[in-house]
Amino acid sequence: MPSPALAASDAEVAELRRALQDLQAQNRELARRLNALETEASEQRRRQAGPQRAARQPTSAPRTAAVPARAPEQAEVTPSQPGTAPAESRPRPRTSPEELEGRVRELEVAKAAQENATRSIIRDALSTLGSNINQYVALGGALEVRFGRFRDFTGPWHQSVQLNTAELDFDIKMNDWVYGSLITSYDRGTNVLFPTVEGFPQAVDRFNLDRATITVGDPQLFPLYFRGGRDVLSFGTSTGIARLDTLSLAGPLTTEAFETREDFLGFGFAFPTPELGPLPPPVVIPPVRPLVVSPLVKSAVQLLGYGQPLVPVQPLVAVRPLPTAPPIYGRINFFHGNREIAPNRAVTQNINASLGYFKRGSCGQPYEELRASWVCPWSFDFHVDYINSVFDSNFLRIAYRSFLPIIGTVPGMAAALKASFGPFSLVGEYNTAIGSANFVDGSGRRARIKPAAWQVALAYQFDWNPWVEQVGEQGSYVSIAYSGTKDLAGVTDVATGTPTRVGFLPQSRLALTAGEWVFPNLRLVTELSFDWDYAKRDGGTGGMGIGFFTSLLLTF
């Protein structure tokens, strides 16, 4: 099902506009009252200043012509005296300047509060809409630097530091029915060398277009939708975004072997469509605390005499829970395919299909009562996938390029499970070709292979609370992942003039991972991984590779 990171709905935007219009009307009324009071206060000061100026001004009349002053009892008439003028003809009591100044101050404070409320609504709206470029497009992405020390099956120890990820994500929402997504990523360019003017081959860094899709429809409103563009096809657990697919730095062998990125057109469905109703009330979700690196850093800076927090404490904000997805979903895609496998392949012959079931629950209890639970809330997502040619995958079509015209199309099936229960998450997957590839390799040996791969992974979230949507998305966590392959020991290729082993992956891989979101958008991960090669009798080296990696990931 499509699940892009989108801006707010049209209804929410309309509600925001109404709230701003109300606040603007209140501000105009306060400004009018403030101006009236300031005018009245100015008039009062002018009237008081008039007699004072007249008393100081010398008169030209003779002293003998002065008019005698009235007696005090004749100076003014109180309402209690008989014979007074009617109430409507009596002068109204005037407000003192002190009272006027107090009322002006009160209105000034009220107006400032209204302006702060307006700014707060705009700020909250922007935080809800994300890092928007405009009202339709939101920008996100990731940067990752990775350091490693490793040894392959046969060689000595090596060290490396590299920019492993540099990605820009553009999420586009034109309205409630039309979505778009565009993802570009950095490529070191070491797999393709270009000649320079000096005559030396040189790698050229570049940005590639990884994925770009258009989605028309919303399964929350209607069961059918259309989707097309360039994306990773539905086959196993891979979505093409490694940091979202797995918690380990060394990805599972299922992804390395069978991830397939292609141009496609397709239709999807999800049912039953949820009933329309009021949105669930916002919930203040407690954050998950990092338990290791972040507290150590804070303690160290405090020992150095720095008392201010490294990151200002952000107030908790109420957010709306995600809507419940329809339980039954599926899709059918028609993709372009590699023309080296079959030059005359029609797009309608290249089929990728998926059918799945999703369900989650809270054991019949509110989330507030599940803080100590080890099994609730729970979620379950299982799907089976089909593709008519596994050798269209990113790895197999490059590794077996010399033999693709002979191999042809070999169909494949995949089954994948993602589940969570309390602070634990579990992933299981099995991908396999359902036909064999028969060809003669460069050494003249007849090869008959039926590639397959599998994985199982378990993760645990520390300081977990029931509102955590995905284990490992915040706080501290650990995971263990084990994956393996079958019939991928490799073959011999002589395309370069020298017999070379190609098309091989480790027979098994074990990854032990510990990670922590030190800051809300900064993750530090350390991992120890082991790779075991196929035995020599199967065409491998029988060796073992070891790697220790540290990664610093920034998401935005």
Side-chain angles (χ1 to χ4, degrees):
M1 290 177 294
S3 58
L6 300 171
S9 67
D10 293 343
E12 292 174 336
V13 172
E15 182 64 27
L16 173 62
R17 288 175 178 170
R18 285 194 295 270
L20 289 175
Q21 290 172 356
D22 292 342
L23 284 173
Q24 290 170 354
Q26 294 177 18
N27 284 340
R28 287 193 295 268
E29 177 63 19
L30 284 171
R32 186 189 64 78
R33 294 170 59 191
L34 183 61
N35 291 334
L37 286 173
E38 288 177 344
T39 302
E40 185 177 352
S42 177
E43 180 67 19
Q44 179 75 3
R45 288 192 292 268
R46 187 185 64 78
R47 289 174 180 173
Q48 289 182 346
Q52 295 175 1
R53 287 194 299 270
R56 290 193 298 267
Q57 184 177 2
T59 178
S60 57
R63 295 179 181 272
T64 57
V67 178
R70 292 181 298 172
E73 62 273 10
Q74 297 175 339
E76 60 182 36
V77 180
T78 61
S80 58
Q81 292 175 326
T84 58
E88 59 272 11
S89 63
R90 294 196 305 268
R92 295 180 180 180
R94 294 173 180 173
T95 306
S96 66
E98 292 77 9
E99 293 176 347
L100 284 174
E101 292 293 344
R103 291 172 62 184
V104 168
R105 284 194 298 271
E106 290 177 0
L107 285 175
E108 287 175 343
V109 171
K111 183 176 181 180
Q114 292 286 353
E115 292 174 349
N116 289 335
T118 302
R119 287 192 291 268
S120 177
I121 288 179
I122 296 174
R123 183 173 57 251
D124 293 343
L126 292 177
S127 64
T128 302
L129 298 177
S131 302
N132 279 20
I133 298 177
N134 56 36
Q135 66 184 100
Y136 302 116
V137 183
L139 172 65
L143 298 172
E144 182 192 17
V145 179
R146 186 177 297 185
F147 167 78
R149 177 175 170 82
F150 59 92
R151 185 188 70 189
D152 59 19
F153 298 140
T154 58
W157 285 91
H158 301 278
Q159 291 183 350
S160 69
V161 176
Q162 64 177 2
L163 177 64
N164 192 65
T165 301
E167 182 180 288
L168 291 176
D169 305 346
F170 299 87
D171 291 321
I172 307 160
K173 180 181 180 182
M174 305 307 297
N175 53 57
D176 287 343
W177 292 90
V178 180
Y179 310 98
S181 176
L182 189 150
I183 301 176
T184 63
S185 65
Y186 167 76
D187 187 350
R188 295 175 60 86
T190 55
N191 58 331
V192 179
L193 300 181
F194 296 89
T196 63
V197 293
E198 292 83 6
F200 299 101
Q202 178 66 42
V204 177
D205 294 350
R206 57 189 184 272
F207 267 86
N208 291 335
L209 180 62
D210 273 354
R211 292 171 293 281
T213 60
I214 300 173
T215 302
V216 180
D218 186 351
Q220 292 288 332
L221 304 174
F222 189 75
L224 300 178
Y225 64 90
F226 163 84
R227 195 162 180 261
R230 180 174 179 81
D231 204 351
V232 172
L233 300 181
S234 303
F235 196 77
T237 59
S238 175
T239 66
I241 305 177
R243 68 181 184 275
L244 302 180
D245 295 334
T246 177
L247 296 177
S248 60
L249 300 178
L253 295 172
T254 52
T255 298
E256 289 196 27
F258 292 103
E259 182 177 87
T260 304
R261 184 179 289 106
E262 282 285 356
D263 299 340
F264 74 99
L265 289 172
F267 299 89
F269 63 88
F271 65 88
T273 303
E275 295 183 1
L276 294 178
L279 295 175
V283 178
V284 177
I285 299 177
V288 177
R289 298 171 300 171
L291 300 180
V292 182
V293 179
S294 183
L296 288 176
V297 172
K298 292 178 181 178
S299 299
V301 298
Q302 289 175 357
L303 290 176
L304 295 175
Y306 186 78
Q308 298 295 326
L310 295 180
V311 178
V313 178
Q314 299 294 331
L316 297 181
V317 178
V319 297
R320 292 191 189 278
L322 294 176
T324 301
I328 301 173
Y329 63 91
R331 59 184 67 90
I332 299 176
N333 299 320
F334 300 94
F335 62 94
H336 185 267
N338 190 344
R339 291 302 187 262
E340 294 182 355
I341 295 178
N344 297 322
R345 296 169 71 182
V347 171
T348 54
Q349 294 176 315
N350 302 327
I351 300 174
N352 167 235
S354 179
L355 180 64
Y357 179 79
F358 172 80
K359 187 68 174 178
R360 65 182 176 188
S362 59
C363 303
Q365 300 181 28
Y367 278 15
E368 291 79 4
E369 300 179 7
L370 297 176
R371 293 177 179 270
S373 175
W374 286 68
V375 294
C376 294
W378 56 268
S379 67
F380 176 91
D381 188 356
F382 176 77
H383 59 92
V384 293
D385 311 307
Y386 168 83
I387 193 169
N388 77 308
S389 176
V390 294
F391 280 86
D392 276 296
S393 75
N394 303 341
F395 169 75
L396 294 177
R397 68 182 174 191
I398 295 176
Y400 291 86
R401 182 174 183 178
S402 300
F403 314 106
L404 290 181
I406 303 173
I407 293 174
T409 57
V410 178
M413 293 286 293
L417 167 69
K418 286 187 176 182
S420 66
F421 40 98
F424 298 94
S425 71
L426 174 67
V427 177
E429 177 184 9
Y430 186 79
N431 305 341
T432 182
I434 55 178
S436 298
N438 300 280
F439 59 96
V440 177
D441 69 0
S443 66
R445 182 177 66 91
R446 178 168 294 278
R448 180 183 177 88
I449 62 174
K450 188 178 180 181
W454 54 270
Q455 72 148 322
V456 60
L458 181 67
Y460 176 76
Q461 175 78 60
F462 294 97
D463 194 42
W464 170 86
N465 66 65
W467 291 275
V468 174
E469 290 289 337
Q470 183 176 346
V471 170
E473 68 179 3
Q474 53 183 308
S476 305
Y477 63 89
V478 293
S479 73
I480 178 172
Y482 191 63
S483 57
T485 64
K486 177 179 175 294
D487 279 0
L488 286 175
V491 295
T492 301
D493 189 8
V494 293
T496 60
T498 303
T500 305
R501 183 189 178 195
V502 298
F504 67 94
L505 288 174
Q507 187 175 30
S508 57
R509 170 177 293 167
L510 174 66
L512 307 174
T513 309
E516 179 175 302
W517 291 91
V518 182
F519 299 132
N521 296 93
L522 186 68
R523 185 185 72 174
L524 178 66
V525 176
T526 59
E527 179 172 291
L528 179 63
S529 64
F530 304 89
D531 286 349
W532 289 271
D533 197 7
Y534 285 83
K536 292 183 177 180
R537 65 177 180 274
D538 298 324
T541 64
M544 181 179 72
I546 303 175
F548 179 80
F549 300 94
T550 300
S551 165
L552 192 64
L553 173 70
L554 172 68
T555 62
F556 56 92

